Amino acid sequence: MAEEMFYWQALNRALYQQMEADDSVFLLGEDVGLYGGSYRVSEGLYARFGEWRVRDTPISEGSFTGLGVGAALLGSRPVVEIMTINFALLALDAIINMATKIPFMSGGQFPMPLVVRTPGGVAKQLAAQHSQRLEQTLMNVPGLRIAVPATPQDAWWQLNQAIRSDEPIIVLEHELLYFSKGEVDTQVEAPPMHRARVHRQGADLTIVTYSRMLQVSLQAAEQLSAQGIEATVIDLRSLRPIDWDSCVQSIEQTHRLLVVEEDSSFAGAGAEIIAGLSERCFYLLDEPPKRLAARELPIAYNGTLEAMSIPRPADIVAAATDLCQTKDAI
Amino acid sequence: MAEEMFYWQALNRALYQQMEADDSVFLLGEDVGLYGGSYRVSEGLYARFGEWRVRDTPISEGSFTGLGVGAALLGSRPVVEIMTINFALLALDAIINMATKIPFMSGGQFPMPLVVRTPGGVAKQLAAQHSQRLEQTLMNVPGLRIAVPATPQDAWWQLNQAIRSDEPIIVLEHELLYFSKGEVDTQVEAPPMHRARVHRQGADLTIVTYSRMLQVSLQAAEQLSAQGIEATVIDLRSLRPIDWDSCVQSIEQTHRLLVVEEDSSFAGAGAEIIAGLSERCFYLLDEPPKRLAARELPIAYNGTLEAMSIPRPADIVAAATDLCQTKDAI
Amino acid sequence: MDRETQLKLLKDMLLARAFEERAAEEYTKGNIAGFLHLYPGEEAVAVGVLNAAGPSDYVVSTYREHVHAMLRGISPDQVMAELFGKKDGCSHGMGGSMHLFDRQKRFMGGYGIVGETFPVATGIAYSIAMKQQPEAVICFFGDGAVNQGTFHESLNMAALWGLPVLFVCENNHYQIGTEIHRHSAVAEVYKRACGYRIPARRIDGMNVLEVYEATGQALQQIYAGTGPQLLEFETYRFRGHSMADPGSYRPKVEVEAFKDQEDPVAIAIRETLPCYPSADEISAAGPDVINKLCSQMDNLGHLDNRQLEALRSEVAQIVDDAVAFALASPEPTLEDAQAYLDCNRQQEVLI
Amino acid sequence: MDRETQLKLLKDMLLARAFEERAAEEYTKGNIAGFLHLYPGEEAVAVGVLNAAGPSDYVVSTYREHVHAMLRGISPDQVMAELFGKKDGCSHGMGGSMHLFDRQKRFMGGYGIVGETFPVATGIAYSIAMKQQPEAVICFFGDGAVNQGTFHESLNMAALWGLPVLFVCENNHYQIGTEIHRHSAVAEVYKRACGYRIPARRIDGMNVLEVYEATGQALQQIYAGTGPQLLEFETYRFRGHSMADPGSYRPKVEVEAFKDQEDPVAIAIRETLPCYPSADEISAAGPDVINKLCSQMDNLGHLDNRQLEALRSEVAQIVDDAVAFALASPEPTLEDAQAYLDCNRQQEVLI
Ligand SMILES: Cc1ncc(C[n+]2csc(CCOP(=O)(O)OP(=O)(O)O)c2C)c(N)n1
Ligand SMILES: Cc1ncc(C[n+]2csc(CCOP(=O)(O)OP(=O)(O)O)c2C)c(N)n1
Ligand SMILES: [Mg+2]
Ligand SMILES: [Mg+2]
């Protein structure tokens, strides 16, 4: 049943399925149509569904995202692609002050079936302006959901769910994940969109992470295992809401917490993860919870510095080893 | 030496002083000139300094903030007023992707003496779109500083410092503070802009807060004192960087931490405060650290609901009492 | 135009004026809070435009939208209750003055961030166009809003894709305290449309009949599928920008000039009364046009002046009732608020 | 125009072409990474505009700015080193291809977010105007950037306050894969300026002499204090949008047509060589203008053809040297990076 495919293909299939099933779904964004999307996500859809349902836009992020909001008011189900999250800084009024406020301000009259898809994160030497990670900006917005698929299977599940949902949802993809491969079962039922997934079980520490850092953390976990440290690796899959229960359950076993994130440390997504779990697991933790995040610097163009700016497997191994120092002592 | 004045007056004086002293300082924003600023902050400056140095702008937040960035490249010292922080959502590209990146991306060639002044927070029934609190969005940006003056004295000190600094700085004011009064000594030397201030000493718990919530916390502390609970109240004064040392020193005495913030709880400013202090004070805390924040809802127009949406003195008293339950037991 | 339509326009304008003046009073009493932006002086625009609109057209407006909302059929009761923050308000007390909504009446909201109406309206029009409906969206905005980037971005998209939007500029010459020549390089708003190849006209916004006719014509073309249009209505607000604004930046002589000579309610009265005064009579009336004209009419013993008084008391009653309704309505609860936010959450339960 | 200036223009264009083609090669080899946006086809614009600019003018550009940077006097060495991410690059390896800066040369940066050049340039101009200097800012942008809200907002402010900005549109007809008629309601970019009362012209951007002259004229007016101007140069890029773009959305015939008939380097050669071919000779040359023209010249035994070859080898040498320089330059360290960020931190030490 399962089929191996690229992450972008899983997204592409999800779009295709939803557009086939429901006329009110349409895509818009820069070069999503004739060009097929900068990362191929909308490949083939323009030919199949025509220009009204796959709309190439001018470079007007603020307004075409706002256009999605307006269309959603009439029951259309727009999927806005912001080419990369760096340009979402121009669309935050539409997302934060329009999409998430209207359902509430209207006293519940207008659901907001808007999906904004956009890749965030540090890719390959795109330099400071093209290396935004805005997850924490979006996390603080009541009424917004953020899905962060890390695998093709989750990409398939979560984009399907997002389009079917009446809530405003950000699907935060990652430029370096589009060409990663994985098994996708398109028939099996999806878990709730916000449910975390335990990718690996280990008794010594809990690594909580999301998006591309999942792969990096899994690599590190293998190396740790060789050293005799067994890590549980949890992929949050959703940054708002966060599935606290899955995390707490794991910390009940491991008593140690390491959060791995790609955004910069100070007031990043990890701040909430650490804070939320410090509140919930105060008596469970044997050691201070730890964050591993990007440096407090804009991302340099230089490749060596760029690589040093965000967590690498070796950094995770070092942090985890440090955290488990007392392990044998106990 | 000290003189009692309104918060807006302290800001007004600071602007006046800096503009007198340095021709390269200029203000721009909507209605800062002829009108004198929506909250009177620029009153009298247009008449004194003329239209080139006190510039009324069109409603074009993205571009007039970007204009400030451009002018700063030439060594001008622009002070951009964004009428309220709600409109700063339209200017985040200029702040985040231009102002804070240029000094770095240019390899250190261009300092960025830009000040953006703007009031944030929940005022009086301005409803959801006019009740943004964006502190956490700005906190995650390397290369940016955020000053949050809570008193007229700090308003005076920090705005003066911000204008003299070559860093991009957000001075985050508060609509409900403009007409609060306090002593201002314009002669005494200012503490470093990011230094926290202990407003009240108490042995039982540490309340860490900022901006308008300082006043609310101080009220609560009085009530707590009547109940036999003595709180230390720390005003951070700066949200990036945070003066951790002052907080840790206090927790060394109190062993209990309550963070009071006006933004919504999940991934708010408090997340970093809790996370940073959980990491630093893990062995010092007797109880799980606690956050008291706004509800996870947009702000309702209805006055009763609005008041219930953000921390009130009674909420702080309840949370602090709860946190100190074990006090006598120990 | 038939007399009935004219009377309807007059009544709408009188109601608009009475409602807004009463809202100001209730604000002073403390029954209304927040920012309160009132419409006196500009009535001819909303009344003319929305009487010309079809019932299936959509309306997107700004924070100065009480009158627009009522003209789309939201009852003064519900609007006043919303200003009071009550549960029976059209936004159930969540939105307040700046955020009136009514799904059924196709009143798609009042927006508080200047420039938001452009993309919202363009999106609604996109949805209409996808479904190929003979409907239009009416998008209100002020002269200050024209300088926001969304104006440019949205008009380009609307024109590029031929979307059914009527862009309606309520040019009252001020962006709060900044006069139009100090905020716009080109002070004739309709000329801004040239950059998008959008047909545009400037109309006297103090003359409700002209507003009505121009709107009707523009909408007919939009229904016919020729793409967006822009109408600029020159008008003036008699009050400050909001209740918090003393309006002291405007020369008194300017304010008086507009009030005396151009009050749209006065013009509507003049045009509606069958005994239309001659040009001489008007100029003889001098600067204080409204009062003098009314007393002239009165002196002449016109039946219609009684009708005018009847209209005045009718709208006064409506406004009184609205205030009573608002006062009696309960406050929304925290549970209500949560439910409103969750309207988009179907059955799903979050962790 | 004197022959010396023409030769200068030709040399600049040849260097531009050689530099960019070499950058493409180095990208393929892995010495350059990230987004690499190249300029072949558009040389006449940068070369014409920036040769006409004065030494004290400021330049703000986009991510497609290597050529602009070199024309302002940043050495090919420093530009190439920046593309390599090395410490001796003009941004010390922090910025890369999209973010070249040189304070001394008044090259105020390449910006990666489309539309940012407008407010930055306007702000620089504001600062100039405050100080009443006889300087101008040259602001580059593409046809796609025109639809960003900042275009509208910034042009309004620049015009309103009479700021010394020369807005230069490099209209290559494409916003990545979207042809101008599919992204702009009005495809003649210069017409967009009418909404701001900014004088604007459209010029053949494949003809370096016309570009040079039009720019000179516009700048003279700006120095005279008449406010902003806009010039639209029609041009074409021969390559994909960036090295990551195969460019398959463009009809092959379109690409060939521009390449063969309109190559600005070919035009510059033609115009520079004293023995200018007749209209007949050109049309006889058929579609493959550059090669045929060159071989025709060669056949005729013109001295200038040798000069052309000399120029070609001169620029080839410059480019070779630049690559060698870049290869030899060290990488910046983490301490460097921190110091660059802290350039605005004076002596102050943070907690
Ligand atoms: C983006 C944004 N900036 C600033 C404001 C504050 N503000 C509210 S109304 C207004 C003036 C709007 O003028 P105009 O568009 O002419 O409408 P009018 O109020 O005259 O009807 C301003 C600046 C806002 N609400 N949104
Ligand atoms: C705000 C923003 N949106 C999208 C992009 C991605 N992008 C980079 S270049 C480009 C096309 C720009 O076209 P144009 O302005 O014509 O310049 P050209 O590349 O043709 O020189 C796009 C969409 C971006 N960098 N910034
Ligand atoms: Mg106005
Ligand atoms: Mg282009």
Side-chain angles (χ1 to χ4, degrees):
Chain A
M1 209 75 123
E3 199 183 324
E4 184 164 72
M5 63 180 80
F6 288 116
Y7 185 95
W8 71 264
Q9 286 174 309
L11 294 167
N12 182 264
R13 295 261 192 113
L15 288 174
Y16 189 92
Q17 163 154 317
Q18 293 300 326
M19 292 183 78
E20 273 286 345
D22 183 351
D23 274 358
S24 63
V25 178
F26 72 102
L27 309 187
L28 71 167
E30 291 154 19
D31 278 329
V32 296
L34 192 61
Y35 193 97
S38 320
Y39 298 98
R40 304 184 63 176
V41 173
S42 48
E43 198 174 86
L45 301 178
Y46 185 76
R48 170 69 187 79
F49 296 103
E51 64 177 356
W52 280 93
R53 295 193 57 205
V54 186
R55 178 57 77 182
D56 283 320
T57 64
I59 307 179
S60 306
E61 281 83 2
S63 290
F64 71 68
T65 308
L67 187 156
V69 172
L73 292 179
L74 248 60
S76 290
R77 306 185 88 78
V79 180
V80 175
E81 174 175 303
I82 298 182
M83 193 181 269
T84 74
I85 201 163
N86 311 290
F87 320 138
L89 283 168
L90 298 160
L92 288 181
D93 184 70
I95 295 170
I96 294 177
N97 232 348
M98 291 165 59
T100 70
K101 301 278 169 62
I102 290 171
F104 180 82
M105 293 198 305
S106 67
Q109 292 179 75
F110 289 97
M112 186 52 59
L114 172 75
V115 176
V116 177
R117 286 185 40 245
T118 185
V122 177
K124 288 237 170 72
Q125 287 190 252
L126 303 186
Q129 289 198 315
H130 281 78
S131 302
Q132 301 297 318
R133 289 132 299 160
L134 293 187
E135 38 266 40
Q136 58 72 253
T137 288
L138 301 166
M139 282 171 72
N140 191 237
V141 184
L144 192 64
R145 258 178 196 262
I146 312 164
V148 276
T151 65
Q153 179 72 63
D154 283 333
W156 161 261
W157 276 334
Q158 292 183 301
L159 183 53
N160 270 302
Q161 289 171 315
I163 297 173
R164 281 198 304 268
S165 161
D166 278 350
E167 276 182 283
I169 298 178
I170 308 287
V171 180
L172 194 57
E173 304 164 1
H174 196 294
E175 290 170 55
L176 295 186
L177 287 177
Y178 287 121
F179 293 89
S180 66
K181 265 196 169 173
E183 294 285 311
V184 176
D185 187 332
T186 57
Q187 303 301 316
V188 72
E189 220 199 310
M193 194 181 354
H194 54 274
R195 182 74 66 227
R197 181 164 159 214
V198 178
H199 273 260
R200 191 183 188 288
Q201 289 274 15
D204 298 327
L205 88 159
T206 300
I207 297 177
V208 176
T209 191
Y210 62 91
S211 192
R212 192 177 86 84
M213 284 294 129
L214 170 64
Q215 300 186 345
V216 181
S217 298
L218 287 172
Q219 283 172 38
E222 290 307 312
Q223 298 176 23
L224 283 165
S225 176
Q227 285 181 212
I229 294 176
E230 296 299 337
T232 292
V233 177
I234 298 181
D235 173 16
L236 287 178
R237 295 179 72 248
S238 164
L239 287 178
R240 184 180 181 102
I242 283 178
D243 176 3
W244 297 116
D245 291 348
S246 297
C247 299
V248 173
Q249 274 162 33
S250 170
I251 295 170
E252 276 168 359
Q253 312 297 317
T254 64
H255 308 286
R256 284 183 187 82
L257 171 63
L258 176 65
V259 172
V260 180
E261 59 189 316
E262 196 177 297
D263 59 357
S264 60
S265 174
F266 188 86
E272 176 57 37
I273 305 171
I274 293 280
L277 292 173
S278 288
E279 289 164 337
R280 285 172 178 81
C281 303
F282 186 75
Y283 300 106
L284 291 173
L285 287 169
D286 286 345
E287 298 283 332
K290 215 182 172 97
R291 275 182 281 186
L292 193 65
R295 279 175 206 278
E296 295 297 325
L297 280 175
I299 300 293
Y301 165 71
N302 174 276
T304 311
L305 291 180
E306 180 188 57
M308 289 168 72
S309 297
I310 57 173
R312 292 159 296 189
D315 302 318
I316 301 176
V317 169
T321 309
D322 201 42
L323 199 58
C324 294
Q325 253 176 358
T326 54
K327 187 189 111 176
D328 302 317
I330 294 171
Chain B
M1 211 74 119
E3 196 183 326
E4 186 163 71
M5 62 179 82
F6 289 117
Y7 185 95
W8 72 262
Q9 285 173 311
L11 294 167
N12 182 263
R13 294 260 193 113
L15 288 174
Y16 189 92
Q17 163 154 321
Q18 293 300 325
M19 291 182 77
E20 273 288 346
D22 183 351
D23 274 357
S24 64
V25 178
F26 71 103
L27 309 187
L28 71 168
E30 292 154 19
D31 279 328
V32 296
L34 192 60
Y35 191 98
S38 321
Y39 299 97
R40 306 183 60 177
V41 172
S42 48
E43 200 174 87
L45 301 177
Y46 185 77
R48 170 71 186 79
F49 297 103
E51 64 177 358
W52 280 94
R53 293 191 59 203
V54 186
R55 180 55 78 180
D56 283 319
T57 64
I59 308 179
S60 307
E61 281 82 2
S63 289
F64 71 68
T65 309
L67 187 157
V69 172
L73 292 179
L74 247 60
S76 290
R77 305 184 90 77
V79 180
V80 175
E81 172 176 303
I82 298 182
M83 193 183 271
T84 74
I85 201 164
N86 311 288
F87 321 137
L89 283 168
L90 297 160
L92 289 181
D93 184 70
I95 296 170
I96 296 177
N97 231 349
M98 289 164 58
T100 69
K101 302 279 168 65
I102 289 171
F104 179 83
M105 294 198 306
S106 66
Q109 293 180 74
F110 289 97
M112 184 53 59
L114 173 74
V115 176
V116 177
R117 286 185 41 245
T118 185
V122 177
K124 287 239 170 69
Q125 289 191 251
L126 303 185
Q129 288 198 318
H130 282 79
S131 302
Q132 300 297 319
R133 288 135 297 161
L134 293 187
E135 39 266 40
Q136 59 71 252
T137 288
L138 301 166
M139 283 170 71
N140 190 235
V141 183
L144 191 65
R145 256 179 198 261
I146 312 165
V148 277
T151 66
Q153 180 72 65
D154 283 334
W156 161 260
W157 275 334
Q158 292 183 301
L159 183 53
N160 270 305
Q161 289 171 315
I163 297 173
R164 280 198 304 268
S165 161
D166 278 350
E167 276 183 282
I169 298 179
I170 308 287
V171 179
L172 195 57
E173 303 164 4
H174 196 295
E175 290 170 54
L176 295 186
L177 288 176
Y178 287 121
F179 293 89
S180 66
K181 267 198 166 171
E183 293 285 313
V184 177
D185 187 332
T186 56
Q187 303 302 318
V188 72
E189 220 200 312
M193 196 181 353
H194 54 275
R195 182 76 64 228
R197 177 163 164 217
V198 178
H199 273 260
R200 191 185 189 287
Q201 289 273 12
D204 297 326
L205 87 158
T206 301
I207 297 178
V208 176
T209 190
Y210 62 92
S211 192
R212 192 177 86 84
M213 284 294 129
L214 169 64
Q215 301 187 344
V216 182
S217 299
L218 287 171
Q219 282 172 41
E222 289 308 311
Q223 298 175 23
L224 283 165
S225 177
Q227 285 181 213
I229 296 175
E230 296 300 337
T232 292
V233 178
I234 298 181
D235 173 16
L236 288 177
R237 294 178 73 249
S238 163
L239 288 177
R240 182 179 183 103
I242 283 178
D243 175 4
W244 297 116
D245 292 347
S246 298
C247 299
V248 173
Q249 275 162 30
S250 170
I251 294 171
E252 277 167 359
Q253 313 297 318
T254 64
H255 307 288
R256 284 182 188 80
L257 171 63
L258 175 65
V259 172
V260 180
E261 59 188 316
E262 195 179 297
D263 61 355
S264 60
S265 175
F266 188 87
E272 176 58 36
I273 306 171
I274 294 280
L277 291 174
S278 289
E279 290 163 339
R280 287 173 176 79
C281 304
F282 185 75
Y283 300 106
L284 290 175
L285 287 169
D286 286 344
E287 297 283 332
K290 217 181 169 95
R291 273 183 283 188
L292 193 64
R295 281 175 204 277
E296 294 297 325
L297 279 175
I299 300 293
Y301 166 69
N302 174 275
T304 312
L305 292 180
E306 181 188 57
M308 289 167 71
S309 297
I310 57 173
R312 292 159 297 190
D315 302 319
I316 300 175
V317 169
T321 310
D322 201 43
L323 200 59
C324 294
Q325 253 176 0
T326 54
K327 188 188 112 180
D328 302 317
I330 292 169
Chain C
M1 188 189 300
D2 58 304
R3 185 148 183 276
E4 208 149 317
T5 308
Q6 290 192 18
L7 272 172
K8 167 76 164 60
L9 299 179
L10 174 59
K11 183 181 161 189
D12 282 348
M13 288 173 65
L14 289 170
L15 175 60
R17 178 70 57 92
F19 186 95
E20 294 289 76
E21 293 299 343
R22 181 61 175 269
E25 257 175 60
E26 297 299 321
Y27 179 90
T28 313
K29 283 191 205 157
N31 285 325
I32 299 174
F35 291 141
L36 185 68
H37 308 85
L38 299 174
Y39 205 59
E42 310 189 28
E43 293 91 345
V45 182
V47 170
V49 168
L50 294 175
N51 273 286
S56 59
D57 292 337
Y58 295 85
V59 174
V60 178
S61 191
T62 68
Y63 45 84
R64 197 186 296 287
E65 88 289 32
H66 313 156
V67 173
H68 308 72
M70 289 190 292
L71 287 163
R72 285 312 278 177
I74 310 182
S75 74
D77 289 4
Q78 281 181 293
V79 175
M80 192 64 85
E82 190 58 37
L83 305 195
F84 278 51
K86 297 300 187 70
K87 179 151 180 179
D88 297 310
C90 58
S91 305
H92 303 311
M94 298 299 114
S97 162
M98 297 194 284
H99 308 300
L100 306 175
F101 284 84
D102 193 319
R103 183 182 191 89
Q104 239 197 318
K105 302 292 196 301
R106 304 197 164 190
F107 193 77
M108 310 305 279
Y111 293 84
I113 308 299
V114 171
E116 286 183 340
T117 63
F118 305 114
V120 171
T122 304
I124 293 171
Y126 194 90
S127 199
I128 291 171
M130 270 180 81
K131 299 176 199 153
Q132 299 184 294
Q133 302 287 335
E135 299 163 346
V137 189
I138 297 171
C139 174
F140 286 97
F141 56 97
D143 51 294
V146 170
N147 298 316
Q148 193 63 284
T150 49
F151 172 84
H152 175 73
E153 297 177 343
S154 298
L155 266 72
N156 181 51
M157 289 191 286
L160 187 60
W161 303 326
L163 303 181
V165 191
L166 177 58
F167 292 102
V168 174
C169 182
E170 299 180 309
N171 178 0
N172 61 13
H173 303 267
Y174 278 87
Q175 162 204 318
I176 305 187
T178 305
E179 204 268 341
I180 190 164
H181 291 90
R182 295 178 63 243
H183 71 61
S184 285
V186 170
E188 300 85 8
V189 171
Y190 76 101
K191 290 190 181 165
R192 295 287 189 97
C194 70
Y196 320 97
R197 222 188 286 277
I198 291 180
R201 290 173 63 193
R202 169 181 261 194
I203 310 286
D204 177 3
M206 303 308 263
N207 186 324
V208 69
L209 304 182
E210 281 184 36
V211 174
Y212 180 87
E213 244 131 55
T215 306
Q217 285 165 19
L219 284 172
Q220 286 315 316
Q221 291 182 44
I222 292 174
Y223 300 147
T226 59
Q229 304 250 341
L230 185 146
L231 293 176
E232 171 189 5
F233 298 109
E234 280 207 276
T235 181
Y236 199 75
R237 62 170 155 73
F238 291 169
R239 292 181 153 274
H241 170 71
S242 73
M243 284 299 286
D245 171 26
S248 45
Y249 43 84
R250 300 191 302 185
K252 200 177 168 73
V253 47
E254 176 182 302
V255 178
E256 294 304 324
F258 270 95
K259 266 209 179 138
D260 293 342
Q261 292 159 19
E262 295 282 5
D263 185 332
V265 178
I267 294 176
I269 291 172
R270 188 172 73 213
E271 306 254 331
T272 312
L273 291 174
C275 172
Y276 192 81
S278 70
D280 283 342
E281 283 177 296
I282 292 179
S283 65
D288 185 14
V289 179
I290 310 179
N291 296 339
K292 287 222 177 156
L293 194 58
C294 287
S295 67
Q296 280 181 329
M297 303 293 165
D298 200 38
N299 289 342
L300 290 172
H302 278 304
L303 180 73
D304 303 280
N305 244 343
R306 263 191 290 152
Q307 201 171 1
L308 173 62
E309 285 316 307
L311 280 179
R312 283 199 203 275
S313 21
E314 193 183 331
V315 303
Q317 188 59 49
I318 292 173
V319 170
D320 281 344
D321 291 352
V323 169
F325 178 86
L327 280 170
S329 174
E331 296 209 56
T333 65
L334 211 48
E335 293 68 48
D336 291 333
Q338 186 66 53
Y340 300 143
L341 180 63
D342 291 346
C343 72
N344 46 20
R345 201 162 270 178
Q346 297 165 346
Q347 282 82 15
E348 198 188 359
V349 178
L350 287 188
I351 344 177
Chain D
M1 187 188 300
D2 58 304
R3 185 147 183 278
E4 207 149 317
T5 308
Q6 289 192 22
L7 272 173
K8 167 76 164 61
L9 299 179
L10 175 59
K11 183 180 163 191
D12 282 347
M13 287 172 70
L14 290 171
L15 174 61
R17 178 69 57 90
F19 186 94
E20 293 290 76
E21 293 299 342
R22 181 61 175 269
E25 256 177 63
E26 298 299 321
Y27 179 91
T28 314
K29 283 192 205 156
N31 285 327
I32 300 173
F35 291 141
L36 185 68
H37 308 86
L38 300 175
Y39 204 60
E42 311 189 26
E43 293 91 346
V45 182
V47 170
V49 169
L50 294 174
N51 273 286
S56 60
D57 293 335
Y58 295 86
V59 174
V60 178
S61 192
T62 68
Y63 44 85
R64 197 186 296 287
E65 88 288 33
H66 313 157
V67 173
H68 308 72
M70 290 190 292
L71 287 163
R72 285 311 278 177
I74 311 180
S75 74
D77 289 4
Q78 281 180 293
V79 175
M80 192 63 85
E82 190 58 38
L83 306 195
F84 279 50
K86 297 300 188 67
K87 180 152 179 176
D88 296 311
C90 57
S91 305
H92 301 312
M94 298 300 114
S97 160
M98 298 194 282
H99 308 299
L100 306 175
F101 284 83
D102 193 318
R103 184 182 191 90
Q104 239 197 317
K105 300 294 196 300
R106 304 199 164 188
F107 193 77
M108 311 303 280
Y111 293 84
I113 308 299
V114 172
E116 285 182 340
T117 62
F118 305 114
V120 171
T122 305
I124 293 170
Y126 194 90
S127 199
I128 293 171
M130 270 179 81
K131 299 177 201 152
Q132 299 183 290
Q133 302 287 334
E135 300 163 344
V137 189
I138 297 171
C139 173
F140 286 96
F141 56 98
D143 51 296
V146 170
N147 298 314
Q148 194 63 282
T150 48
F151 171 83
H152 175 70
E153 297 176 343
S154 298
L155 267 72
N156 181 53
M157 290 190 286
L160 186 60
W161 303 325
L163 304 180
V165 191
L166 176 60
F167 293 102
V168 174
C169 181
E170 300 181 308
N171 178 1
N172 61 13
H173 303 266
Y174 279 87
Q175 161 203 320
I176 306 188
T178 304
E179 204 269 340
I180 190 164
H181 291 90
R182 295 177 64 245
H183 71 60
S184 285
V186 170
E188 300 84 9
V189 170
Y190 77 101
K191 290 191 181 166
R192 294 289 189 94
C194 69
Y196 320 97
R197 223 189 284 277
I198 292 181
R201 290 172 63 193
R202 171 180 260 192
I203 310 287
D204 177 4
M206 304 308 264
N207 187 324
V208 70
L209 303 183
E210 283 184 34
V211 173
Y212 179 87
E213 244 131 57
T215 304
Q217 286 164 18
L219 283 172
Q220 286 316 314
Q221 292 181 43
I222 291 174
Y223 300 146
T226 61
Q229 304 250 343
L230 185 147
L231 293 175
E232 171 190 3
F233 297 108
E234 280 206 275
T235 181
Y236 200 76
R237 65 169 154 73
F238 291 168
R239 291 182 155 273
H241 170 71
S242 73
M243 285 301 284
D245 171 24
S248 46
Y249 43 83
R250 299 193 301 187
K252 201 177 168 74
V253 47
E254 176 181 303
V255 179
E256 293 304 324
F258 270 95
K259 266 209 177 137
D260 292 343
Q261 291 161 19
E262 297 281 6
D263 185 332
V265 179
I267 294 177
I269 292 171
R270 188 173 72 212
E271 306 253 333
T272 310
L273 290 174
C275 171
Y276 191 75
S278 71
D280 283 342
E281 283 177 297
I282 291 179
S283 66
D288 184 17
V289 180
I290 310 178
N291 296 340
K292 287 221 176 155
L293 194 58
C294 286
S295 67
Q296 279 180 332
M297 303 297 167
D298 199 41
N299 290 340
L300 290 171
H302 278 305
L303 179 73
D304 301 279
N305 245 342
R306 262 191 292 153
Q307 198 171 5
L308 173 62
E309 285 316 307
L311 281 180
R312 283 199 203 277
S313 20
E314 192 181 334
V315 303
Q317 188 58 49
I318 293 172
V319 172
D320 281 344
D321 291 350
V323 169
F325 178 86
L327 280 170
S329 174
E331 297 209 54
T333 65
L334 210 48
E335 293 67 49
D336 292 333
Q338 186 66 53
Y340 300 143
L341 179 64
D342 292 345
C343 70
N344 45 20
R345 201 162 270 176
Q346 299 165 347
Q347 282 81 13
E348 198 188 358
V349 177
L350 285 189
I351 344 178

